[in-house]
Amino acid sequence: MTLPLLILRPEPGASASARRAEELGLRCICYPLFDVHPCVWDAPAPADFDAMMLTSANAVRHGGADLERYKHLPVFAVGQTTADAARAGGFNVVAVGTSGVQAVSEIIAARGQGRVFHPCGQDRRPINPGSIVIVPRIVYEAAEAGDAKGLAALLPEEAVALLHSPRAGRRLAQLVPMIERHRLHLAAISPAVLQQAGEGWGSSMAATQPDDEALLALAAALCKKDSGDFYEGNTTIMGRDYETTSNPAKGKYNIRTMAIMLALAFVGGLAAMGWVMTRWDSWAEKEQAIVSGQDSRVDEKSSVNGTAAGNARTGKPFDDILPESHTQALNMRVAELEDRISRVNVQAQAASGNAARAEGLLIAFAARRALDTGATLGYIEGQLRLRFGQAQPRAVATIINAAHEPVTLQDLQVGLEDIGTELVGRGRSPNWWADIKHEVGQLVIFREAATPSALPERRLARAERLLEAGRADAALAEVTRMPGRASGGKWMEQARRYIEARRALDLIETAAILEPRQLRATDGSTIDQPSPLAP
């Protein structure tokens, strides 16, 4: 029995996948969950970039005429389908990544590229740029299409569904109720996509290569229901090569193997029984000797107990039974044990305090990573309130407020680039005489050699370099001295919130290491143990 294949990606990718699937002998049902449309976008200057990163073929299809201006840049593509579309569009593809966007960004950094242009869709995952600067532009959007009724009308009794994006996984989970999910077997282009679809499906598998060829090979294996590739509730990652034919001798081989194992077990049991019988007499003698020894010790104990009872009747203390040296030795051992227990308690308290401080430091690091990527704090917010709410309440409030309206270093770079013209004071003034005096005044400028140039263009260039180095405070200082700073009010407010959030993160990291009081553990208890790094 061959299951039908449900293709959910938007056109023209859906038709292309259907053609390749039909060549593999599969019956296809196309029901796109999205319609892709181009967006109006502002193209930055191509000379400002060293390379271009493409994560979807839709960027090439819908980028428009402005994307042609970047054909001189080397292109780093995610997936072979994206690379083929870029080459067909006349772009120079120098590397193709097969492990996702993050891996491609690491390849770009290894090649020494500094600034990277990234035409992308409206729905995109955050990227950790590392040492490179990625400037995104939204050139297309995927609007939702179809509904639960339409999908249910086309859905057969059992089918295999293709997932090409994380958003498609989330959309499918919204349209198919949990009680009906057992009818669908998922084939995803990557484990990250598979994770977005949730649980409850008949089976779910992900290809190891993020391209349509590997995904269709996986779908072909899944559609052959008699190949034994289904595992209820299990998630499996498969490669390009599949063994989809059944072995007719498999059942016989299993029965023969079981018969051989049972025979060996029977022979082994007989051998073990014979070995035990040959040594039974010696074991009986040893047991008799042990019993005799125990009886003699019981007699000795009874004698001691009788002596103790006699002393009790005559009013003599029990300590008289043992010599005085033995009593002193016992007292010394008890004192030594009490001392050891005391030291262990102190060491346990120190270890507990240090572990709680280490956990607090990890929470601070996790909060910094969330702010750097623009992600929500999630469970980290509660941990910040619990651990640092009393020690650093203002810092915790600043971090939580910054996470609700995140500002990343990449956002500041893009925003500064957008308002650069207004900051340097370019553009025509209504007073032409003032323009002439300004231009004449800029012809000759006297300054000390060690003093940075006060020209607005030079200040803007310094601010951009400072942002690339992560020094947002110094970049803000440069922008506040520029003639068009009034037009950059929103950018400066975002920069101040970015700087305040990082200072707050520095405070809670310091508190996790050196705070002598009011720091809390995971159960809310106060950490009384001083830090080993405290002065």
Side-chain angles (χ1 to χ4, degrees), residues 419 422-425 479-492:
I419 64 173
E422 290 80 2
L423 289 176
V424 299
V479 172
T480 55
R481 298 186 182 95
M482 299 182 71
R485 57 184 174 275
S487 61
K490 181 178 179 181
W491 184 92
M492 289 189 289

Side-chain angles (χ1 to χ4, degrees), residues 202-218:
S203 64
S204 52
M205 299 185 182
T208 55
Q209 301 294 331
D211 54 49
D212 206 38
E213 180 184 354
L215 182 58
L216 287 175
L218 171 59

Side-chain angles (χ1 to χ4, degrees), residues 50-57 60 67 70-98 104 107-108 111 113:
D50 304 318
M52 182 167 66
M53 180 173 65
L54 293 175
T55 55
S56 173
V60 181
L67 199 63
Y70 301 91
K71 283 190 173 180
H72 67 284
L73 295 177
V75 173
F76 296 80
V78 178
Q80 191 60 46
T81 302
T82 305
D84 293 341
R87 292 191 180 99
F91 292 91
N92 178 27
V93 179
V94 297
V96 180
T98 59
V104 172
I107 294 175
I108 297 175
R111 297 284 184 92
Q113 309 292 348

Side-chain angles (χ1 to χ4, degrees), residues 5-348:
L5 183 63
L6 182 61
I7 300 177
L8 306 172
R9 67 187 306 193
E11 295 290 353
S15 298
S17 296
R19 286 193 300 269
R20 287 191 285 267
E22 289 171 353
E23 293 175 358
L24 298 175
L26 304 179
R27 179 169 64 90
C28 300
I29 302 173
C30 291
Y31 191 77
L33 298 182
F34 305 97
D35 289 330
V36 182
H37 306 287
C39 296
V40 179
W41 60 288
D42 180 22
D48 294 341
F49 301 100
D50 304 318
M52 182 167 66
M53 180 173 65
L54 293 175
T55 55
S56 173
N58 287 321
V60 181
R61 300 189 188 106
H62 302 284
D66 286 336
L67 199 63
E68 303 287 331
R69 299 167 54 191
Y70 301 91
K71 283 190 173 180
H72 67 284
L73 295 177
V75 173
F76 296 80
V78 178
Q80 191 60 46
T81 302
T82 305
D84 293 341
R87 292 191 180 99
F91 292 91
N92 178 27
V93 179
V94 297
V96 180
T98 59
S99 300
V101 181
Q102 191 62 47
V104 172
S105 65
E106 294 172 0
I107 294 175
I108 297 175
R111 297 284 184 92
Q113 309 292 348
R115 292 177 60 84
V116 181
F117 176 54
H118 180 207
C120 58
Q122 189 174 17
D123 183 55
R124 61 187 180 92
R125 290 185 298 170
I127 307 172
N128 182 11
S131 61
I132 63 177
V133 178
I134 301 178
V135 180
R137 283 294 186 273
I138 298 175
V139 301
Y140 70 91
E141 62 177 352
E144 292 184 354
D147 52 24
K149 292 183 179 179
L151 180 61
L154 290 177
L155 192 63
E157 184 64 26
E158 193 174 8
V160 176
L162 289 186
L163 296 178
H164 283 81
S165 67
R167 191 180 176 192
R170 295 192 297 269
R171 175 77 170 148
L172 183 64
Q174 294 173 357
L175 297 180
V176 181
M178 183 66 69
I179 195 173
E180 297 291 337
R181 291 187 182 181
H182 68 278
R183 298 164 55 188
L184 282 179
H185 305 276
L186 303 186
I189 200 167
S190 69
V193 173
L194 196 63
Q195 186 178 9
Q196 296 297 319
E199 300 177 349
W201 308 100
S203 64
S204 52
M205 299 185 182
T208 55
Q209 301 294 331
D211 54 49
D212 206 38
E213 180 184 354
L215 182 58
L216 287 175
L218 171 59
L222 286 174
C223 288
K224 310 295 183 181
K225 190 172 182 180
D226 58 349
S227 64
D229 283 335
F230 292 138
Y231 299 90
E232 184 69 25
N234 189 28
T235 300
T236 308
I237 301 175
M238 302 180 67
R240 293 173 179 259
D241 300 323
Y242 308 94
E243 182 62 39
T244 59
T245 59
S246 58
N247 186 357
K250 185 176 180 179
K252 296 180 181 179
Y253 175 77
N254 287 339
I255 294 174
R256 184 169 62 250
T257 302
M258 291 180 63
I260 294 174
M261 292 177 64
L262 289 174
L264 291 175
F266 180 74
V267 173
L270 291 178
M273 184 180 296
W275 184 81
V276 170
M277 294 300 294
T278 57
R279 289 162 174 77
W280 181 262
D281 294 337
S282 60
W283 287 349
E285 294 175 357
K286 292 179 180 179
E287 183 68 19
Q288 183 64 32
I290 292 173
V291 172
S292 300
Q294 291 178 348
D295 291 342
S296 62
R297 286 193 296 271
V298 169
D299 294 338
E300 294 175 0
K301 184 175 181 181
S302 299
S303 176
V304 172
N305 290 338
T307 304
N311 289 338
R313 286 192 298 268
T314 58
K316 294 182 179 180
F318 182 77
D319 291 342
D320 292 343
I321 301 173
L322 297 176
E324 184 178 357
S325 59
H326 289 183
T327 303
Q328 294 176 355
L330 286 176
N331 291 335
M332 292 177 61
R333 293 295 301 274
V334 170
E336 182 180 354
L337 288 175
E338 291 177 349
D339 183 60
R340 289 184 180 180
I341 292 173
S342 176
R343 290 199 302 268
V344 169
N345 288 335
V346 173
Q347 293 173 357

